[in-house]
Amino acid sequence: MFKWDPWARAHINPPIVVGHEFCGEVVEVGSEVTQVKVGDFVSAESHITCQTCAQCRTGNGHICKNTRIIGVGRDGCWAEYIAMPEFNLWLNPPDMPVEIASLQENFGNAVHTALATDVTARKVPVSGCGPVGLMTIAVCKAAGARQIFATDISPIACAWHCAWARTRLTMSAKPTR
């Protein structure tokens, strides 16, 4: 964690293995697993929901109050092995590059966010030029946004943005490091 703030103190119990975007090969499955098999190349949704609360039982697992995030609320994918529930995995084509397979969850977040409304011919603000922000900018461009305005407080993220996205950039505030 970059800053050990109140959120971090409430959600992270060190020592912990970090990392939550990944892909990998299934090396073992439990006796009740039916959707993946040993040798499958998979990616994962890093938010593990309880599947038993009212939100999960009514199709609203995205707001499950018992969500655990790998690499935050439990050991993450930088471990040699990680156990994941079957419902959090999806199969990848065997020839998909790991550079793409490992970022599918992030890209999915960018697509979901960018397409939550019709951006065609609109001016679109994007707050943050980290990996998901840059992917969101790309999705907005592909969806026909007329103009994209990106903001960030990190000079490093701004440099990435300026070199890659070629959209108007505004520094939100002076970094306080």
Side-chain angles (χ1 to χ4, degrees), residues 93-121:
D95 60 344
M96 178 179 278
V98 296
E99 297 85 357
I100 293 173
S102 62
L103 288 175
Q104 287 192 95
E105 180 186 28
N106 271 342
F107 185 63
N109 291 334
V111 170
H112 176 77
T113 300
L115 302 181
T117 191
D118 183 9
V119 298
T120 307

Side-chain angles (χ1 to χ4, degrees), residues 79 88 131 134 138 154 175:
N88 279 72
L134 292 177
S154 165

Side-chain angles (χ1 to χ4, degrees), residues 73-154:
R74 59 173 273 190
D75 281 340
C77 64
W78 287 8
E80 186 173 356
Y81 296 98
I82 183 169
M84 291 294 294
E86 176 180 34
F87 62 84
N88 279 72
L89 301 175
W90 60 86
L91 292 171
N92 295 317
D95 60 344
M96 178 179 278
V98 296
E99 297 85 357
I100 293 173
S102 62
L103 288 175
Q104 287 192 95
E105 180 186 28
N106 271 342
F107 185 63
N109 291 334
V111 170
H112 176 77
T113 300
L115 302 181
T117 191
D118 183 9
V119 298
T120 307
R122 293 189 175 183
K123 295 178 181 178
V124 179
V126 175
S127 179
C129 294
V132 177
L134 292 177
M135 288 185 243
T136 303
I137 290 167
V139 173
C140 289
K141 282 184 167 190
R146 175 169 38 129
Q147 199 168 17
I148 302 166
F149 298 89
T151 63
D152 206 293
I153 62 171
S154 165

Side-chain angles (χ1 to χ4, degrees), residues 16-72:
I16 191 166
V17 177
V18 297
H20 63 263
E21 282 100 17
F22 74 97
C23 61
E25 179 183 343
V26 176
V27 296
E28 187 176 332
V29 296
S31 61
E32 297 180 22
V33 173
T34 61
Q35 302 299 310
V36 295
K37 63 185 183 313
V38 171
D40 283 345
F41 179 40
V42 297
S43 292
E45 160 61 51
S46 64
H47 297 74
I48 300 172
T49 57
C50 72
Q51 301 294 298
T52 59
C53 70
Q55 290 82 10
C56 287
R57 292 191 326 265
T58 57
N60 294 302
H62 63 287
I63 55 173
C64 172
K65 63 184 177 191
N66 303 309
T67 297
R68 296 187 68 206
I69 304 171
I70 63 170
V72 177

